[in-house]
Amino acid sequence: MHRTDFLVIGSGIAGLSFALKVAQLGSVAVVTKRQGIDSNTAWAQGGISCVTDEEDSFDLHVADTLDAGVGLCDESVVRTIVSEGPERIQELIDYGVDFDHHEVDGEQVISLGREGGHSVRRILHSRDTTGREIEKKLLAAARAEPKITLFEHHYAIDLITTSKLGLATENRCVGIYALDEKEGEVVNFRSDRVVLATGGSGKVYLYTSNPDVATGDGVAMAWRAGVEVENMEFIQFHPTVLYHPKETSFLISEALRGEGGVLLGDDGEPFMSKYDERNDLAPRDIVARAIDTEMKRTGSRCVFLDMRHHSKAFLEDRFPNIFQTCVDHGVDPSKEPIPVVPAAHYQCGGVNTDINGMTSLKGLYAIGEVACTGLHGANRLASNSLLEGAVLAHRAAEYLKAKMPVDRTVSDIDLPKWQRGDAEDVDELVVIYHNWDEIRRLMWDYVSIVRTDKRLQRAATRLANLKREVHEFYWNFKITGDLLELRNLVDVAGLIVESARLRQESRGLHYTLDHPDKLTELRDTILTRY
Ligand code: SIN
């Protein structure tokens, strides 16, 4: 059993920033299921939004965020996150993050990009691989910090609570079970401060811009432990992922539309003016829905993003990764429009937390995409997520610092060893892969950009059967990383469908043909398993 003052699950911007901040207070274990670098953060292209320019203001950033969130953002949370942004950006710069600059009157100033829903340029970026730059710098700092131990290839299985242990104390989280994949054994991590920073759940869908690690692990574990989960119906679909048979997850950043990119239909004509006066820079829910409508109307398999108004030199310099990837797949963006389709991109709901990352379970915190703080409401404003990860990591660390030393009544608890009787090796791996594909396809067909009551009902019925099969598998066979991810996917898919069925209106990212209007009442969808 590993004992640690702080246990962090996940190694993206939120998890690593938090770990670095609390390392001055005690020992920190960071548990991550692949290598440290394998996180959603590392795949973020566009950048991090923050007010850094004198033409901009906190009020403007707050207003844009509220507008994108269609009535469901918590304004005080939005204001706190937006106004604490500049200090967090400075910290990232201090860790060596190299945001792009340009020269004005002999002075270097930060270059700012623009994305949908932002009324001004406010996105700090590092070419088109901003997340990778942030991830690399934070990971290097964490590896150099003696108080932090990084447990790579460790899959978190479940949260351990005092109620699960049958202890007659107030229910709280006291650690986790995790699969050490290299050793093939289950180990315990014992801690009074457990932080979920596991990112999102894009892999629930057949098409996604997310990396393979995005299987909703934190939400699923929290849910199974009886923690409140909020607004899971709001899954953001990014309007533009490269359409190519061999490359189904490559994002074509919204920053391209920020530099004047225009969406064209199958007939080569721009279409966004039919849908929103902000044209190609309307918020993402609107653009993704417009593309979906155009594809259904014309029967086309994709639409196109036209960047031909820029020179090859500009595109290669500003978007080197995107430019090269397109060229590698036979498309030169300076000469021809890029074929694009929408794909699942961001989970706006998640584990319900307050502004310090505190969940409904004592001892458990959630930060970053796994959490629902109230920042995003019904639709996330582009590039607000890295900002939220950095700010919430700081706030959770400060909150815990103020509470040290915490209530010690549970500290002597020992965790029982993992008991799974005579579990056998999985004999039919094909069943796991089949179920995995089935979940992702049915979520794509029935629960994506446009929903109906009937599609949601079908999805719920199929998922109930799949859940039974997967959980049977889980109890009868030796666990593997694939089986753990499948179990989490089926639980999270169920939460998305249940939340979507409860929202009988169309708002932000939840659009249903059966209830096309917004209700006047504003409410969040909160699910709890007792
Ligand atoms: C993008 O680069 O378009 C993604 C930015 C984001 O999702 O915030």
Side-chain angles (χ1 to χ4, degrees):
M1 179 169 73
H2 303 282
R3 268 181 192 276
T4 180
D5 292 314
F6 300 92
L7 172 60
V8 183
I9 310 167
S11 54
I13 185 171
L16 292 178
S17 303
F18 175 85
L20 286 162
K21 281 167 185 286
V22 293
Q24 49 177 294
L25 306 174
S27 58
V28 190
V30 177
V31 168
T32 191
K33 63 183 180 178
R34 308 265 162 92
Q35 295 181 63
I37 190 94
D38 292 317
S39 64
N40 272 5
T41 295
W43 280 40
Q45 292 183 352
I48 179 163
S49 63
C50 187
V51 176
T52 57
D53 189 79
E54 55 195 30
E55 304 275 290
D56 198 1
S57 70
F58 292 147
D59 283 344
L60 258 187
H61 192 176
V62 168
D64 290 346
T65 303
L66 296 180
D67 187 43
V70 207
L72 288 191
C73 301
D74 179 330
E75 184 165 351
S76 77
V77 166
V78 176
R79 194 163 287 285
T80 301
I81 292 176
V82 160
S83 58
E84 292 185 9
E87 283 169 76
R88 306 290 78 83
I89 292 292
Q90 188 52 52
E91 281 169 3
L92 290 173
I93 293 170
D94 294 342
Y95 279 121
V97 174
D98 187 15
F99 291 116
D100 291 345
H101 282 75
H102 62 278
E103 204 177 288
V104 176
D105 299 332
E107 272 190 41
Q108 288 293 314
V109 296
I110 289 184
S111 310
L112 297 173
R114 189 162 173 200
E115 291 176 10
H118 289 272
S119 51
V120 295
R121 286 186 171 264
R122 67 164 71 93
I123 320 292
L124 288 85
H125 50 80
S126 180
R127 296 293 195 271
D128 56 355
T129 49
T130 313
R132 200 186 303 161
E133 167 70 6
I134 293 174
E135 180 71 26
K136 273 181 5 200
K137 297 292 160 55
L138 291 179
L139 199 53
R143 288 193 197 281
E145 169 54 61
K147 286 300 215 26
I148 298 177
T149 311
L150 191 59
F151 291 86
E152 295 176 303
H153 303 287
H154 279 64
Y155 281 73
I157 301 172
D158 266 320
L159 301 171
I160 307 174
T161 59
T162 47
S163 85
K164 273 194 203 165
L165 295 177
L167 299 176
T169 57
E170 183 191 10
N171 191 28
R172 62 168 299 147
C173 187
V174 288
I176 62 164
Y177 290 114
L179 172 67
D180 175 346
E181 215 190 10
K182 292 238 156 116
E183 296 299 323
E185 62 185 24
V186 173
V187 291
N188 297 340
F189 285 84
R190 170 76 186 93
S191 180
D192 286 337
R193 304 162 201 90
V194 177
V195 179
L196 296 173
T198 47
S201 56
K203 291 304 261 191
V204 162
Y205 286 92
L206 188 58
Y207 301 111
T208 176
S209 62
N210 290 186
D212 286 347
V213 291
T215 52
D217 305 339
V219 168
M221 284 191 294
W223 166 252
R224 290 193 294 266
V227 180
E228 278 179 13
V229 170
E230 184 177 0
N231 287 352
M232 285 298 288
E233 66 273 38
F234 297 120
I235 300 293
Q236 184 170 75
F237 289 80
H238 196 291
T240 57
V241 167
L242 181 65
Y243 175 69
H244 191 278
K246 293 212 175 104
E247 183 63 83
T248 51
S249 292
F250 188 73
L251 187 70
I252 303 295
S253 174
E254 197 155 304
L256 274 77
R257 276 177 284 130
E259 295 299 342
V262 176
L263 286 161
L264 307 177
D266 212 23
D267 55 2
E269 292 300 318
F271 57 82
M272 270 314 297
S273 62
K274 282 193 282 178
Y275 296 93
D276 195 280
E277 61 190 12
R278 290 161 288 188
N279 296 334
D280 298 88
L281 282 177
R284 263 180 210 172
D285 54 333
I286 296 169
V287 181
R289 221 161 29 243
I291 294 176
D292 189 68
T293 307
E294 287 295 309
M295 284 170 58
K296 289 204 169 105
R297 191 179 63 77
T298 61
S300 59
R301 291 179 173 274
C302 64
V303 294
F304 297 89
L305 182 64
D306 193 357
M307 294 300 293
R308 287 174 298 177
H309 55 289
H310 282 299
S311 67
K312 184 173 177 196
F314 173 85
L315 294 173
E316 274 181 323
D317 179 55
R318 174 68 180 86
F319 303 112
N321 182 37
I322 294 172
F323 187 85
Q324 194 51 50
T325 304
C326 287
V327 168
D328 291 346
H329 289 86
V331 180
D332 177 343
S334 65
K335 297 206 177 93
E336 59 205 307
I338 309 166
V340 289
V341 283
H345 183 62
Y346 194 85
Q347 168 194 296
C348 293
V351 179
N352 185 10
T353 74
D354 71 358
I355 186 65
N356 297 317
M358 221 161 82
T359 72
S360 62
L361 176 64
K362 200 168 174 200
L364 182 72
Y365 302 80
I367 52 178
E369 186 172 351
V370 66
C372 183
T373 58
L375 172 68
H376 308 307
N379 179 30
R380 176 183 66 110
L381 183 66
S383 288
N384 263 358
S385 38
L386 291 176
L387 176 71
E388 186 190 38
V391 171
L392 262 289
H394 176 79
R395 293 190 66 91
E398 287 296 300
Y399 175 81
L400 285 170
K401 190 170 165 182
K403 267 175 60 113
M404 296 283 277
V406 292
D407 169 11
R408 310 306 297 174
T409 53
V410 293
S411 277
D412 299 335
I413 290 173
D414 272 335
L415 302 181
K417 273 189 126 177
W418 175 255
Q419 294 287 350
R420 285 298 294 273
D422 50 3
E424 297 167 21
D425 284 330
V426 179
D427 57 351
E428 296 263 14
L429 272 181
V430 66
V431 180
I432 294 188
Y433 298 122
H434 178 86
N435 284 352
W436 181 293
D437 287 346
E438 196 174 341
I439 293 167
R440 298 184 65 203
R441 183 165 287 283
L442 83 86
M443 289 299 286
W444 184 259
D445 288 343
Y446 296 152
V447 200
S448 56
I449 300 172
V450 177
R451 301 165 179 179
T452 65
D453 286 349
K454 199 161 161 195
R455 289 179 204 167
L456 292 178
Q457 159 68 51
R458 266 196 196 154
T461 310
R462 283 301 306 131
L463 281 170
N465 288 337
L466 283 162
K467 196 166 173 170
R468 251 192 315 279
E469 278 177 27
V470 170
H471 284 256
E472 212 174 280
F473 238 77
Y474 173 77
W475 286 110
N476 291 336
F477 292 98
K478 262 204 191 110
I479 51 168
T480 62
D482 283 348
L483 184 50
L484 292 174
E485 289 185 336
L486 178 64
R487 177 176 173 241
N488 291 336
L489 277 185
V490 80
D491 283 349
V492 169
L495 291 170
I496 296 170
V497 172
E498 195 177 339
S499 305
R501 292 183 80 194
L502 287 170
R503 186 167 291 283
Q504 307 252 308
E505 62 165 347
S506 289
R507 181 180 296 278
L509 298 161
H510 176 71
Y511 182 77
T512 158
L513 295 177
D514 292 315
H515 312 280
D517 300 320
K518 281 198 274 297
L519 296 177
T520 39
E521 181 208 5
L522 293 172
R523 65 158 186 85
D524 294 311
T525 310
I526 297 192
L527 301 179
T528 320
R529 171 183 169 180
Y530 290 104

